[in-house]
Amino acid sequence: MPTTEEVRSDLAEIVNEVAGVPVDDVQLDKSFTEDLDVDSLSMVEIIYAAEEKFGVSIPDEESKNLKTVGDAVAYIERAAS
Amino acid sequence: MALRTSSGAQYARLMGVGGYRPRRVVDNAEIVTYIDSSDEWIRTRSGITERRWASPDETIQMMSVAAARKAIERAGIEPGQVDTVIVSTVTHLIQTPAIATTIATELGAQGAAAFDINAACAGFCYMVAMADALVRAGSSKYVVVIGVERLTDLTDIHDRSTAFIFADGAGAAVIGPSDVPAIGPVVWGSDGEQADLITQTEPWDTAIPRHERGGPDPVAQAAAVADDPEGSAAATWPVLRMNGNPVFKWASYAMAKTAAEAMDAAGITPEELEVFVPHQANNRITDAMFRALKLPEGVVIARDIVHHGNTSAASIPLAIETLLESGEARSGQTALTIGFGAGLVYAGQVITLP
């Protein structure tokens, strides 16, 4: 079971690859849209890459609730457990 | 008694392509007068800077004939040699007869087999697959395929998710016999479970005729609706609706897999591919597919959407014509085409550029 920090770090790599956001900026309290300037299409790409990376399913209706990096990390941790 | 069957050419190829782009250029500055958006938002979400909207005289028939004449001339054949005409469109608003028949006649291919198909944005790749099979089976020798749309006839110009994307135009190709392999196996299919992602909102039997809504112009119609928001104009003319994010996800990832299968089926590696011509749905989809396919940097990528928007069945032949005319791609190069859209439907194949 990966730690919260490991999930955050892997997710940060994905956000960096898709949207070009510096890895160190992708912290748990950051909002994808407000703080990291990730648009809705990039969010779709991030969710897809996260599903592949962590072996979880994130339905469309759930992904709308993932406002912050912390929301996404918590969802992935729950879904993977 | 032994029944005789047909036999045709060993191989088929695209012999020529031609396009018709409507005269009227609609830039993002005009679009943002209809939707709450900005030039920057549109460009970053789609890559589109301008698109073409058909005027009333630029009908499905007129645009199709113009595109097909160019394709026939470039193919180096006479119109009278064309023995099959296939048209793919979702915006020919007269259901019967098929518009392919009158197009064949106006082209000078009187008597050709002629029919319409509806495979939305996959229409061109569906038609190439059918034409390839017709030529190799000996059912036809020269097939004209035409993707043509007036998507603006079914566009709600106040819909923030489609108004900046949809556009009009026609793209045609001639497919005929070849001495060498030039059309790879098609990888195609459908997914009716996701039929609700891109739809026409109303059936025709409830629709108010267009002339009662302010004329055959989306801007005039929107004005008529605005003048009388409770009136019949607002009520029942159908438009195309799209659930953007799930379509984006499907197109970017499921379609990358289909494209990879089409390359595999043709025995072409990413390193051997020279040109990538996906349906011009959205530059962001093209980018995501390009990354997922791990295509080499040197592959030429069609970006016709930037200036012409999403023209559904017309987008791939229009994009091929643009690449050939600009010199970015050239005849004889190996290209991957893939179309995907409402249905959901999809088809991809590797072709040799004409």
Side-chain angles (χ1 to χ4, degrees):
Chain A
M1 193 58 202
T3 65
T4 298
E5 174 50 26
E6 283 166 345
V7 173
R8 186 208 62 79
S9 171
D10 285 350
L11 188 64
E13 294 287 341
I14 290 170
V15 174
N16 172 260
E17 198 169 309
V18 170
V21 177
V23 170
D24 290 343
D25 290 0
V26 186
Q27 299 300 330
L28 295 178
D29 62 337
K30 291 289 192 294
S31 154
F32 286 106
T33 50
E34 303 296 320
D35 300 321
L36 305 181
D37 209 20
V38 170
D39 73 22
S40 65
L41 297 183
S42 290
M43 202 60 209
V44 173
E45 293 193 65
I46 290 166
I47 299 275
Y48 177 82
E51 289 178 321
E52 296 282 295
K53 172 82 187 172
F54 299 105
V56 299
S57 169
I58 307 174
D60 204 39
E61 55 273 19
E62 286 296 338
S63 63
K64 293 189 183 84
N65 301 324
L66 307 181
K67 307 281 187 213
T68 66
V69 175
D71 293 341
V73 168
Y75 187 89
I76 291 164
E77 286 184 307
R78 273 201 312 278
S81 63
Chain B
M1 187 189 81
L3 193 69
R4 198 179 302 146
T5 61
S6 64
S7 62
Q10 189 174 3
Y11 307 113
R13 67 184 172 104
L14 273 74
M15 301 175 66
V17 297
Y20 181 86
R21 295 166 182 79
R23 296 181 300 270
R24 184 174 168 212
V25 178
V26 177
D27 61 13
N28 289 345
E30 180 176 342
I31 294 293
V32 300
T33 65
Y34 309 133
I35 56 173
D36 177 19
S37 188
S38 70
D39 175 51
E40 197 224 341
W41 190 94
I42 293 170
R43 279 189 287 108
T44 56
R45 295 313 189 282
S46 69
I48 300 170
T49 60
E50 60 190 21
R51 73 287 289 146
R52 302 293 182 98
W53 284 8
S55 299
D57 65 305
E58 293 171 310
T59 59
I60 297 283
Q61 172 88 18
M62 178 271 191
M63 295 194 293
S64 296
V65 169
R69 281 200 174 125
K70 276 165 83 179
I72 291 168
E73 190 183 318
R74 287 169 177 167
I77 63 168
E78 294 300 318
Q81 292 176 272
V82 173
D83 53 13
T84 301
V85 175
I86 312 174
V87 174
S88 179
T89 180
V90 297
T91 47
H92 175 47
L93 303 184
I94 293 173
Q95 195 166 353
T96 303
I99 192 141
T101 63
T102 51
I103 290 170
T105 295
E106 191 176 338
L107 283 173
Q110 175 68 23
F115 58 97
D116 299 352
I117 69 164
N118 178 340
C121 304
F124 183 75
C125 293
Y126 263 63
M127 292 190 294
V128 169
M130 286 191 285
D132 171 54
L134 290 169
V135 169
R136 290 191 295 118
S139 306
S140 305
K141 187 165 185 187
Y142 296 111
V143 183
V144 166
V145 302
I146 305 163
V148 55
E149 303 291 359
R150 285 174 55 103
L151 288 179
T152 50
D153 284 345
L154 295 181
T155 300
D156 173 359
I157 62 167
H158 298 310
D159 179 348
R160 239 179 136 242
S161 63
T162 58
F164 65 97
I165 293 178
F166 290 156
D168 305 329
V174 176
I175 290 152
S178 173
D179 296 331
V180 294
I183 298 174
V186 67
V187 175
W188 59 349
S190 69
D191 180 3
E193 285 183 358
Q194 301 196 77
D196 60 344
L197 291 187
I198 312 168
T199 56
Q200 175 178 325
T201 50
E202 306 284 338
W204 293 114
D205 58 3
T206 62
I208 300 296
R210 296 177 61 73
H211 59 81
E212 291 178 23
R213 308 184 66 245
D217 172 349
V219 179
Q221 285 181 35
V225 173
D227 285 348
D228 183 11
E230 303 302 315
S232 61
T236 61
W237 183 257
V239 294
L240 299 172
R241 293 267 186 244
M242 177 164 67
N243 191 347
N245 285 354
V247 171
F248 177 78
K249 187 175 183 180
W250 171 76
S252 300
Y253 301 107
M255 289 304 96
K257 291 195 178 84
T258 298
E261 286 169 24
M263 279 197 290
D264 271 354
I268 296 291
T269 65
E271 287 67 37
E272 291 170 310
L273 192 74
E274 295 172 295
V275 185
F276 179 44
V277 191
H279 163 52
Q280 301 290 290
N282 185 322
N283 253 348
R284 296 279 292 272
I285 292 174
T286 300
D287 292 337
M289 289 176 81
F290 184 82
R291 285 199 297 273
L293 282 166
K294 298 186 169 52
L295 295 179
E297 286 299 320
V299 173
V300 174
I301 307 174
R303 301 280 189 192
D304 202 40
I305 190 167
V306 173
H307 296 293
H308 297 112
N310 175 343
T311 55
S312 188
S315 86
I316 291 176
L318 283 171
I320 291 173
E321 183 185 55
T322 296
L323 290 175
L324 292 173
E325 286 186 342
S326 69
E328 287 174 86
R330 58 183 192 279
S331 174
Q333 284 190 313
T334 302
L336 171 64
T337 59
I338 180 159
F340 44 85
L344 299 172
V345 292
Y346 57 91
Q349 65 265 93
V350 175
I351 61 169
T352 302
L353 292 179

mmCIF file of all heavy atoms in Angstrom, chain A residues 22-41:
data_model
loop_
_atom_site.group_PDB
_atom_site.id
_atom_site.type_symbol
_atom_site.label_atom_id
_atom_site.label_comp_id
_atom_site.label_asym_id
_atom_site.label_seq_id
_atom_site.Cartn_x
_atom_site.Cartn_y
_atom_site.Cartn_z
ATOM 1 N N PRO A 22 4.931 22.453 -12.629
ATOM 2 C CA PRO A 22 6.101 21.948 -11.895
ATOM 3 C C PRO A 22 5.677 20.964 -10.799
ATOM 4 O O PRO A 22 4.704 21.215 -10.074
ATOM 5 C CB PRO A 22 6.724 23.210 -11.292
ATOM 6 C CG PRO A 22 6.267 24.324 -12.177
ATOM 7 C CD PRO A 22 4.896 23.922 -12.660
ATOM 8 N N VAL A 23 6.422 19.869 -10.696
ATOM 9 C CA VAL A 23 6.068 18.796 -9.769
ATOM 10 C C VAL A 23 5.906 19.320 -8.335
ATOM 11 O O VAL A 23 4.977 18.936 -7.623
ATOM 12 C CB VAL A 23 7.158 17.697 -9.839
ATOM 13 C CG1 VAL A 23 6.959 16.678 -8.730
ATOM 14 C CG2 VAL A 23 7.139 17.016 -11.201
ATOM 15 N N ASP A 24 6.791 20.226 -7.942
ATOM 16 C CA ASP A 24 6.757 20.705 -6.555
ATOM 17 C C ASP A 24 5.516 21.548 -6.243
ATOM 18 O O ASP A 24 5.170 21.756 -5.084
ATOM 19 C CB ASP A 24 8.018 21.533 -6.253
ATOM 20 C CG ASP A 24 9.258 20.644 -6.210
ATOM 21 O OD1 ASP A 24 9.087 19.402 -6.091
ATOM 22 O OD2 ASP A 24 10.378 21.171 -6.307
ATOM 23 N N ASP A 25 4.856 22.063 -7.280
ATOM 24 C CA ASP A 25 3.648 22.861 -7.050
ATOM 25 C C ASP A 25 2.429 21.992 -6.734
ATOM 26 O O ASP A 25 1.408 22.483 -6.254
ATOM 27 C CB ASP A 25 3.312 23.703 -8.294
ATOM 28 C CG ASP A 25 4.333 24.821 -8.500
ATOM 29 O OD1 ASP A 25 5.268 24.917 -7.681
ATOM 30 O OD2 ASP A 25 4.195 25.565 -9.486
ATOM 31 N N VAL A 26 2.515 20.698 -7.060
ATOM 32 C CA VAL A 26 1.341 19.827 -6.930
ATOM 33 C C VAL A 26 1.257 19.315 -5.491
ATOM 34 O O VAL A 26 1.649 18.193 -5.178
ATOM 35 C CB VAL A 26 1.407 18.664 -7.956
ATOM 36 C CG1 VAL A 26 0.116 17.851 -7.922
ATOM 37 C CG2 VAL A 26 1.636 19.205 -9.360
ATOM 38 N N GLN A 27 0.771 20.179 -4.598
ATOM 39 C CA GLN A 27 0.644 19.854 -3.178
ATOM 40 C C GLN A 27 -0.822 19.619 -2.815
ATOM 41 O O GLN A 27 -1.722 20.089 -3.511
ATOM 42 C CB GLN A 27 1.225 20.982 -2.327
ATOM 43 C CG GLN A 27 2.719 21.239 -2.574
ATOM 44 C CD GLN A 27 3.608 20.030 -2.271
ATOM 45 O OE1 GLN A 27 3.282 19.204 -1.395
ATOM 46 N NE2 GLN A 27 4.722 19.911 -2.993
ATOM 47 N N LEU A 28 -1.026 18.905 -1.716
ATOM 48 C CA LEU A 28 -2.371 18.428 -1.359
ATOM 49 C C LEU A 28 -3.408 19.544 -1.260
ATOM 50 O O LEU A 28 -4.574 19.350 -1.586
ATOM 51 C CB LEU A 28 -2.325 17.665 -0.017
ATOM 52 C CG LEU A 28 -1.509 16.357 -0.024
ATOM 53 C CD1 LEU A 28 -1.508 15.737 1.372
ATOM 54 C CD2 LEU A 28 -2.041 15.370 -1.049
ATOM 55 N N ASP A 29 -3.000 20.727 -0.815
ATOM 56 C CA ASP A 29 -3.980 21.798 -0.603
ATOM 57 C C ASP A 29 -4.275 22.593 -1.874
ATOM 58 O O ASP A 29 -5.091 23.505 -1.862
ATOM 59 C CB ASP A 29 -3.486 22.747 0.496
ATOM 60 C CG ASP A 29 -2.176 23.425 0.130
ATOM 61 O OD1 ASP A 29 -1.436 22.873 -0.730
ATOM 62 O OD2 ASP A 29 -1.878 24.493 0.699
ATOM 63 N N LYS A 30 -3.637 22.230 -2.970
ATOM 64 C CA LYS A 30 -3.780 23.017 -4.202
ATOM 65 C C LYS A 30 -5.016 22.582 -5.014
ATOM 66 O O LYS A 30 -5.257 21.388 -5.191
ATOM 67 C CB LYS A 30 -2.529 22.875 -5.073
ATOM 68 C CG LYS A 30 -1.291 23.550 -4.488
ATOM 69 C CD LYS A 30 -1.410 25.053 -4.566
ATOM 70 C CE LYS A 30 -0.101 25.776 -4.280
ATOM 71 N NZ LYS A 30 0.395 25.634 -2.906
ATOM 72 N N SER A 31 -5.750 23.579 -5.495
ATOM 73 C CA SER A 31 -6.888 23.305 -6.383
ATOM 74 C C SER A 31 -6.364 23.144 -7.808
ATOM 75 O O SER A 31 -5.547 23.948 -8.268
ATOM 76 C CB SER A 31 -7.876 24.474 -6.324
ATOM 77 O OG SER A 31 -8.617 24.545 -7.526
ATOM 78 N N PHE A 32 -6.873 22.120 -8.498
ATOM 79 C CA PHE A 32 -6.404 21.884 -9.871
ATOM 80 C C PHE A 32 -6.676 23.099 -10.755
ATOM 81 O O PHE A 32 -5.803 23.553 -11.483
ATOM 82 C CB PHE A 32 -7.097 20.651 -10.483
ATOM 83 C CG PHE A 32 -6.596 19.345 -9.935
ATOM 84 C CD1 PHE A 32 -7.375 18.599 -9.049
ATOM 85 C CD2 PHE A 32 -5.357 18.854 -10.311
ATOM 86 C CE1 PHE A 32 -6.915 17.394 -8.549
ATOM 87 C CE2 PHE A 32 -4.891 17.643 -9.811
ATOM 88 C CZ PHE A 32 -5.674 16.903 -8.925
ATOM 89 N N THR A 33 -7.912 23.601 -10.686
ATOM 90 C CA THR A 33 -8.266 24.676 -11.617
ATOM 91 C C THR A 33 -7.790 26.040 -11.120
ATOM 92 O O THR A 33 -7.211 26.803 -11.872
ATOM 93 C CB THR A 33 -9.791 24.722 -11.851
ATOM 94 O OG1 THR A 33 -10.437 24.719 -10.575
ATOM 95 C CG2 THR A 33 -10.270 23.557 -12.674
ATOM 96 N N GLU A 34 -8.009 26.319 -9.819
ATOM 97 C CA GLU A 34 -7.692 27.657 -9.301
ATOM 98 C C GLU A 34 -6.189 27.882 -9.168
ATOM 99 O O GLU A 34 -5.664 28.908 -9.606
ATOM 100 C CB GLU A 34 -8.355 27.858 -7.924
ATOM 101 C CG GLU A 34 -9.859 27.667 -7.902
ATOM 102 C CD GLU A 34 -10.598 28.689 -8.752
ATOM 103 O OE1 GLU A 34 -10.188 29.853 -8.735
ATOM 104 O OE2 GLU A 34 -11.564 28.309 -9.444
ATOM 105 N N ASP A 35 -5.497 26.918 -8.552
ATOM 106 C CA ASP A 35 -4.074 27.137 -8.232
ATOM 107 C C ASP A 35 -3.132 26.644 -9.330
ATOM 108 O O ASP A 35 -2.104 27.254 -9.589
ATOM 109 C CB ASP A 35 -3.710 26.415 -6.922
ATOM 110 C CG ASP A 35 -4.547 26.912 -5.750
ATOM 111 O OD1 ASP A 35 -4.799 28.124 -5.698
ATOM 112 O OD2 ASP A 35 -4.940 26.085 -4.911
ATOM 113 N N LEU A 36 -3.490 25.522 -9.960
ATOM 114 C CA LEU A 36 -2.551 24.912 -10.909
ATOM 115 C C LEU A 36 -2.915 25.202 -12.357
ATOM 116 O O LEU A 36 -2.185 24.820 -13.265
ATOM 117 C CB LEU A 36 -2.484 23.385 -10.674
ATOM 118 C CG LEU A 36 -2.146 22.954 -9.245
ATOM 119 C CD1 LEU A 36 -2.092 21.424 -9.142
ATOM 120 C CD2 LEU A 36 -0.806 23.537 -8.798
ATOM 121 N N ASP A 37 -4.063 25.881 -12.560
ATOM 122 C CA ASP A 37 -4.466 26.299 -13.914
ATOM 123 C C ASP A 37 -4.648 25.105 -14.859
ATOM 124 O O ASP A 37 -4.314 25.171 -16.036
ATOM 125 C CB ASP A 37 -3.421 27.279 -14.480
ATOM 126 C CG ASP A 37 -4.057 28.251 -15.453
ATOM 127 O OD1 ASP A 37 -5.286 28.418 -15.398
ATOM 128 O OD2 ASP A 37 -3.323 28.826 -16.277
ATOM 129 N N VAL A 38 -5.166 24.007 -14.316
ATOM 130 C CA VAL A 38 -5.438 22.807 -15.124
ATOM 131 C C VAL A 38 -6.846 22.948 -15.704
ATOM 132 O O VAL A 38 -7.801 23.149 -14.962
ATOM 133 C CB VAL A 38 -5.348 21.533 -14.251
ATOM 134 C CG1 VAL A 38 -5.851 20.320 -15.005
ATOM 135 C CG2 VAL A 38 -3.914 21.330 -13.776
ATOM 136 N N ASP A 39 -7.006 22.871 -17.024
ATOM 137 C CA ASP A 39 -8.352 23.012 -17.595
ATOM 138 C C ASP A 39 -9.081 21.669 -17.643
ATOM 139 O O ASP A 39 -8.512 20.623 -17.303
ATOM 140 C CB ASP A 39 -8.322 23.734 -18.945
ATOM 141 C CG ASP A 39 -7.755 22.889 -20.073
ATOM 142 O OD1 ASP A 39 -7.755 21.646 -19.979
ATOM 143 O OD2 ASP A 39 -7.328 23.493 -21.075
ATOM 144 N N SER A 40 -10.351 21.711 -18.063
ATOM 145 C CA SER A 40 -11.195 20.515 -17.925
ATOM 146 C C SER A 40 -10.692 19.357 -18.793
ATOM 147 O O SER A 40 -10.787 18.196 -18.402
ATOM 148 C CB SER A 40 -12.641 20.857 -18.282
ATOM 149 O OG SER A 40 -12.744 21.221 -19.652
ATOM 150 N N LEU A 41 -10.144 19.672 -19.963
ATOM 151 C CA LEU A 41 -9.650 18.587 -20.820
ATOM 152 C C LEU A 41 -8.381 17.967 -20.241
ATOM 153 O O LEU A 41 -8.210 16.745 -20.259
ATOM 154 C CB LEU A 41 -9.397 19.104 -22.243
ATOM 155 C CG LEU A 41 -10.623 19.620 -22.996
ATOM 156 C CD1 LEU A 41 -10.235 20.034 -24.412
ATOM 157 C CD2 LEU A 41 -11.734 18.590 -23.034
#
